[in-house]
């Protein structure tokens, strides 16, 4: 019999009427012949209320007690839901995370799922009952109650759907589906009917609040079709699945509460990045927008962003790193927000970055940091202007209609064969079948690209328009730019590095040298031959251990890193050409990808 998982978020169970409406949906699915598992969140703003209460008790409530407290919100909902189903004449049973057998690690407040035993659920389903599961919670091996992180009921739902091999996981919420950006912020936002797992993974982890990002990891890893649907009407919502569609720009995400951290005056030697990542990983702090500058006078600088709420922990970790490295200074700032554009079609096109920078230039918005990855571009902007920036980019890419299918600048480049996607899927399912724990990191492949060159513009004016000019000039000559990283500037100047195909280097240099000659003190440096090492997988940025393992392996092999970019599906490092091969080998070993003889 087919199994359907239906998850109802807080607003969808806020009062008795809404609980009854949700119960009716589950009963209808049951009566249509499906076995039904409901996953329910705490009612309305219940979790926030509990957080506030705890703050009244203590400035630093114990993490274990916080989880004990917050898990009660869901317990209230499931029992009420079971009563509602009963009164509709169907059998139902409510279960806590522990009763289901959702075993997590012991990281209170952001525990990861290790395993789920489905025996108990199946017994109830086979007895004709609707199973109503508490979202957001589990128990650790010592029977302590744990929670999965705010918004974590989505993750419970997809994890249960994966463990039960459900036919569909439906996420009922207070909007019609997934929109091009948050419809409560941009009223012109448009509902998207189909999204690729990779697009949703990036959007969710870059700040689109509609889904917990770890829930999409489960969906992709275990091939669960996900449908985000409105709980208030019969809308079809958004299907998140493997799609062949290659939109240039599928969605925008805004993370308002970012903080930037710069570690300067560091020794310029292999191991610096590794040490910083290790200190962050020890405290489970996910870092993003990592920018490593080409060293000046033997001193290196590394900048990155974290969520503002993690800044205090981050600064402690940064201090630890500096102590270990024996040198360095720390700067940080909080008045920033991260705006990201995501689209699977970016893989094969140039010009999206140039167009985004141009749109922001027209608004006079300065780009403090830039990082790109295969299917996303993120920029750091002043927080006070982030809504304006979001709106401008949404409008600029015509996202309220079907969106532009080709950017105005640049042309279509390489095409990818469908067979290639298929072999990626097979590779993934092989790796997943070997996972010891459900939320273990999935790294499926290491790649070495030896076809690119690095170009860096130093000391360029830190004013709106500089990057727009650079990347428009380059894209207009049909030069495909791959990685872009631009640093923060505290001196009125910025530095931007990017990679291009070696065959395009000569043309590219002519263009940027001409540009640089206009700007006082700006200089160009380049490296014709580089190795770009990429680790490919799922949930790479949110699992802080991936960066740590990657940079440690490179440091142990004495390999210096020139550029970095991170995303949920890929993490890349640019190294010297003659170290590419060694890097490739050590990374394969570090992620256990070496085929046994
Ligand atoms: P639930 O309580 O059902 O889990 P959430 O509040 O977690 O609901 O998520 C739904 C909210 O996500 C919407 O009300 C909307 O404001 C916000 N949101 C942010 N980005 C998007 C997006 N791209 N598409 C749809 N909703 C979004
Ligand atoms: N109730 C939890 C929260 O508010 C989990 C969830 O709603 O997904 O974060
Ligand atoms: Mg939610």
């Amino acid at each position: 019999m087919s199994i359907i998982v239906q998850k109802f978020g807080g607003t969808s169970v806020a009062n008795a009427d809404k609980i009854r409406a949700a119960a009716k949906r589950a009963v209808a699915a049951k009566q249509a012949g499906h076995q039904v598992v409901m996953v329910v969140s705490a009612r309305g703003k219940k979790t926030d209320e509990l957080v506030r209460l705890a703050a009244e008790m203590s400035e630093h409530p114990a993490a274990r007690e916080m989880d004990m407290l917050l898990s009660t919100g869901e317990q209230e909902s499931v029992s009420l839901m079971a009563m509602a189903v009963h009164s509709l004449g169907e059998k139902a049973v409510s279960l806590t995370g522990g009763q289901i057998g959702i075993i997590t690690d012991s990281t209170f407040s952001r525990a990861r799922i290790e395993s789920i035993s489905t025996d108990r659920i199946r017994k109830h389903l086979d007895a004709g009952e609707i199973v109503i599961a508490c979202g957001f919670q589990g128990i650790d091996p010592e029977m302590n109650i744990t929670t999965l992180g705010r918004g974590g009921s989505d993750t419970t739902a997809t994890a249960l759907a994966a463990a039960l091999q459900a036919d569909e996981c439906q996420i009922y919420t207070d909007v019609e589906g997934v929109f091009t950006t948050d419809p409560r912020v941009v009223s012109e936002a448009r509902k998207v009917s189909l999204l690729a797992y990779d697009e949703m993974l990036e959007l969710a982890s870059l700040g689109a609040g509609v889904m917990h990002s770890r829930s999409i990891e489960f969906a992709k890893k275990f091939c669960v079709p996900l449908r985000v649907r409105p709980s208030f009407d019969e809308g079809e919502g958004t299907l998140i699945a493997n799609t062949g569609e290659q939109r240039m720009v599928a969605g925008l995400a805004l993370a308002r509460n970012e903080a930037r951290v710069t570690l300067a005056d560091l020794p310029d030697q292999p191991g610096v990045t590794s040490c910083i990542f290790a200190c962050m990983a020890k405290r489970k702090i996910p870092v993003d927008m990592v920018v490593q500058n080409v060293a000046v006078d033997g001193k290196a600088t590394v900048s990155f962003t974290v969520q503002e709420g993690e800044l205090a922990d981050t600064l402690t970790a940064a201090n630890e790193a500096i102590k270990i490295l024996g040198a360095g200074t720390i700067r940080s700032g909080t008045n920033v927000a991260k705006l990201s554009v995501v689209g699977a079609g970016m893989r094969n096109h140039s010009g999206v970055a140039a167009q985004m920078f141009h749109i922001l230039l027209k608004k006079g918005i300065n780009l403090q940091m830039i990082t790109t990855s295969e299917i996303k571009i993120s920029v750091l902007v002043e927080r006070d202007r982030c809504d304006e920036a979001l709106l401008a980019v949404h409008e600029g890419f015509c996202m309220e209609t079907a969106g532009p299918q080709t950017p105005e600048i640049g042309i279509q480049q390489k095409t990818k064969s469908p067979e290639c996607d298929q072999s990626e899927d097979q590779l993934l399912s092989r790796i997943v079948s070997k996972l010891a724990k459900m939320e273990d990191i999935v790294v499926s492949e290491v790649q070495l690209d030896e076809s690119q060159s690095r170009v860096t513009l130093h000391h360029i004016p830190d004013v709106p328009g500089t990057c727009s000019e650079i990347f428009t000039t380059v894209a207009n000559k049909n030069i495909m730019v791959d990685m872009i990283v631009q640093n923060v500037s505290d001196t009125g100047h910025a530095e931007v590095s990017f990679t291009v195909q070696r065959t395009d280097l000569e043309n590219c240099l002519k263009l940027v040298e001409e540009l640089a000659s206009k700007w006082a003190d700006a200089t160009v440096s380049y490296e014709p031959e580089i190795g770009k090492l990429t680790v490919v997988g799922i949930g790479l940025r949110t699992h802080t251990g991936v960066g740590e393992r990657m940079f440690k392996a490179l440091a142990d092999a004495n390999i210096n890193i020139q550029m970095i970019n991170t995303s949920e599906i890929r993490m890349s490092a640019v190294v010297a050409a003659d170290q590419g091969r060694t890097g490739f080998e050590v990374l394969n070993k570090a992620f256990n990808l070496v085929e046994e003889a």
Side-chain angles (χ1 to χ4, degrees):
M1 201 186 260
S2 58
I3 299 181
I4 288 186
V5 174
Q6 298 186 327
K7 178 253 168 180
F8 294 87
T11 38
S12 307
V13 292
N15 56 38
D17 284 343
K18 290 190 173 176
I19 293 176
R20 264 193 291 274
K24 274 193 194 140
R25 267 189 206 270
V27 167
K30 168 94 199 322
Q31 291 175 351
H34 305 290
Q35 292 190 321
V36 182
V37 176
M38 299 177 84
V39 174
V40 188
S41 291
R43 295 187 309 119
K45 298 263 173 245
K46 186 81 193 182
T47 312
D48 293 334
E49 211 178 289
L50 294 170
V51 170
R52 272 197 303 275
L53 257 177
E56 282 181 37
M57 294 304 127
S58 155
E59 224 175 284
H60 301 290
R64 180 187 179 281
E65 302 312 324
M66 265 322 265
D67 281 17
M68 181 70 109
L69 176 69
L70 297 194
S71 68
T72 62
E74 271 66 17
Q75 210 169 311
E76 175 189 74
S77 301
V78 288
S79 46
L80 292 170
M81 187 65 77
M83 294 170 199
V85 174
H86 293 160
S87 65
L88 292 169
E90 278 291 344
K91 292 191 281 185
V93 58
S94 64
L95 298 172
T96 64
Q99 286 172 334
I100 296 167
I102 298 185
I103 310 296
T104 70
D105 63 17
S106 305
T107 322
F108 295 110
S109 86
R110 48 183 165 196
R112 285 191 181 271
I113 299 177
E114 298 197 332
S115 64
I116 298 181
S117 77
T118 52
D119 297 356
R120 187 162 182 180
I121 297 192
R122 286 201 192 271
K123 216 171 70 207
H124 285 294
L125 290 175
D126 291 341
E129 290 169 302
I130 292 176
V131 172
I132 305 170
C134 285
F136 172 60
Q137 56 175 265
I139 49 166
D140 75 358
E142 274 76 54
M143 310 274 278
N144 295 301
I145 295 182
T146 53
T147 65
L148 309 181
R150 294 305 304 272
S153 298
D154 296 330
T155 294
T156 308
T158 50
L160 280 177
L164 292 163
Q165 296 181 310
D167 296 81
E168 189 168 282
C169 181
Q170 304 171 342
I171 307 288
Y172 287 94
T173 185
D174 58 356
V175 280
E176 276 169 63
V178 182
F179 283 66
T180 47
T181 192
D182 191 339
R184 298 191 197 285
V185 179
V186 177
S187 56
E188 293 82 13
R190 181 177 47 89
K191 195 204 80 177
V192 184
S193 18
L194 186 64
L195 274 173
Y197 288 129
D198 286 348
E199 290 173 328
M200 194 64 219
L201 261 174
E202 295 289 8
L203 280 172
S205 100
L206 293 167
V210 63
M211 292 283 294
H212 197 227
S213 72
R214 279 159 50 197
S215 68
I216 325 290
E217 289 177 36
F218 275 104
K220 176 168 179 185
K221 258 193 221 175
F222 300 97
C223 274
V224 181
L226 259 184
R227 192 175 279 283
V228 180
R229 304 182 69 167
S231 58
F232 49 84
D233 69 22
E234 293 307 309
E236 281 298 301
T238 302
L239 178 67
I240 302 162
N242 273 328
T243 78
E245 227 181 307
Q246 298 276 298
R247 265 158 316 185
M248 208 81 56
V249 176
L252 302 182
L254 180 65
R256 278 167 212 282
N257 298 318
E258 293 284 292
R260 64 178 172 87
V261 178
T262 299
L263 277 76
D265 304 318
L266 300 165
D268 178 33
Q269 65 199 34
V272 171
T273 325
S274 164
C275 173
I276 297 169
F277 267 78
C279 290
M280 299 298 151
K282 204 171 85 195
R283 289 168 191 273
K284 295 205 159 53
I285 302 166
V287 304
D288 192 24
M289 295 194 79
V290 186
V291 175
Q292 173 149 5
N293 296 344
V294 176
V296 180
D297 301 333
K299 285 184 176 165
T301 308
V302 177
S303 303
F304 53 87
T305 59
V306 293
Q307 286 192 7
E308 190 173 348
E310 314 242 34
L311 183 60
D313 256 4
T314 306
L315 293 177
T316 312
N319 267 307
E320 283 164 7
I322 278 178
K323 236 182 238 146
I324 297 169
L325 292 169
T329 51
I330 305 170
R331 292 194 299 268
S332 65
T334 51
N335 185 24
V336 287
K338 176 177 67 189
L339 175 62
S340 308
V341 177
V342 174
M346 267 181 224
R347 281 196 177 104
N348 310 318
H349 292 77
S350 63
V352 181
Q355 191 163 342
M356 179 184 193
F357 303 157
H358 188 70
I359 293 165
L360 293 169
L361 157 69
K362 282 196 287 188
K363 287 275 159 196
I365 292 171
N366 201 20
L367 310 176
Q368 301 188 14
M369 269 168 103
I370 303 169
T371 56
T372 66
S373 170
E374 199 188 23
I375 65 163
K376 67 119 207 235
I377 301 159
S378 297
V379 297
L380 199 68
V381 298
E382 194 187 326
R383 195 178 292 168
D384 301 337
R385 300 197 64 189
C386 69
D387 286 306
E388 205 187 324
L390 175 72
L391 203 67
V393 174
H394 197 272
E395 249 176 54
F397 280 112
C398 308
M399 296 179 78
E400 69 284 5
T401 57
Q405 287 317 302
T406 347
E408 287 161 17
I409 307 162
I411 53 149
Q412 176 151 353
Q413 305 274 330
K414 56 189 174 194
T415 48
K416 204 172 159 194
S417 67
E419 297 89 70
C420 173
D421 282 338
Q422 214 173 26
S423 74
E424 269 175 29
D425 286 350
Q426 283 163 359
L427 194 64
L428 188 63
S429 64
R430 240 193 359 254
I431 306 274
V432 169
S433 69
K434 286 198 217 148
L435 285 185
K437 295 174 190 160
M438 282 192 92
E439 274 199 81
D440 266 359
I441 303 167
V442 172
V443 169
S444 53
E445 204 186 343
V446 175
Q447 297 169 347
L448 170 62
D449 178 352
E450 294 181 298
S451 67
Q452 302 199 45
S453 309
R454 173 183 59 78
V455 177
T456 303
L457 278 104
H458 307 264
H459 223 257
I460 54 177
D462 178 29
V463 292
T466 312
C467 277
S468 168
E469 192 165 357
I470 296 169
F471 293 103
T472 304
T473 307
V474 172
N476 271 334
K477 292 283 181 228
N478 295 334
I479 295 172
M480 179 95 172
V481 172
D482 182 15
M483 281 171 82
I484 303 176
V485 297
Q486 188 216 235
N487 72 335
V488 261
S489 156
D490 289 306
T491 56
H493 289 92
E495 183 175 82
V496 63
S497 295
F498 55 94
T499 63
V500 292
Q501 288 295 313
R502 278 181 204 170
T503 45
D504 285 334
L505 178 64
E506 212 184 302
N507 282 341
C508 179
L509 282 175
K510 266 190 220 134
L511 297 172
V512 294
E513 271 162 2
E514 199 181 314
L515 279 177
S517 65
K518 292 195 313 192
W519 295 315
D521 302 332
T523 54
V524 177
S525 73
Y526 63 95
E527 194 160 333
E529 299 192 348
I530 52 164
K532 181 182 160 199
L533 290 160
T534 302
V535 168
V536 182
I538 302 177
L540 302 188
R541 185 179 24 212
T542 27
H543 283 82
T544 47
V546 182
E548 183 189 17
R549 216 190 290 179
M550 175 169 183
F551 299 119
K552 177 159 191 326
L554 295 176
D556 289 348
N558 219 21
I559 296 175
N560 214 5
I561 297 162
Q562 305 181 4
M563 279 169 86
I564 299 169
N565 69 19
T566 61
S567 94
E568 283 300 291
I569 50 174
R570 296 166 79 86
M571 226 175 237
S572 302
V574 167
V575 303
D578 59 358
Q579 295 187 313
R581 277 277 127 203
T582 316
F584 180 72
E585 279 156 25
V586 298
L587 288 181
N588 269 298
K589 259 194 224 126
F591 291 102
N592 306 318
L593 295 172
V594 191
E595 290 289 333
E596 291 116 48

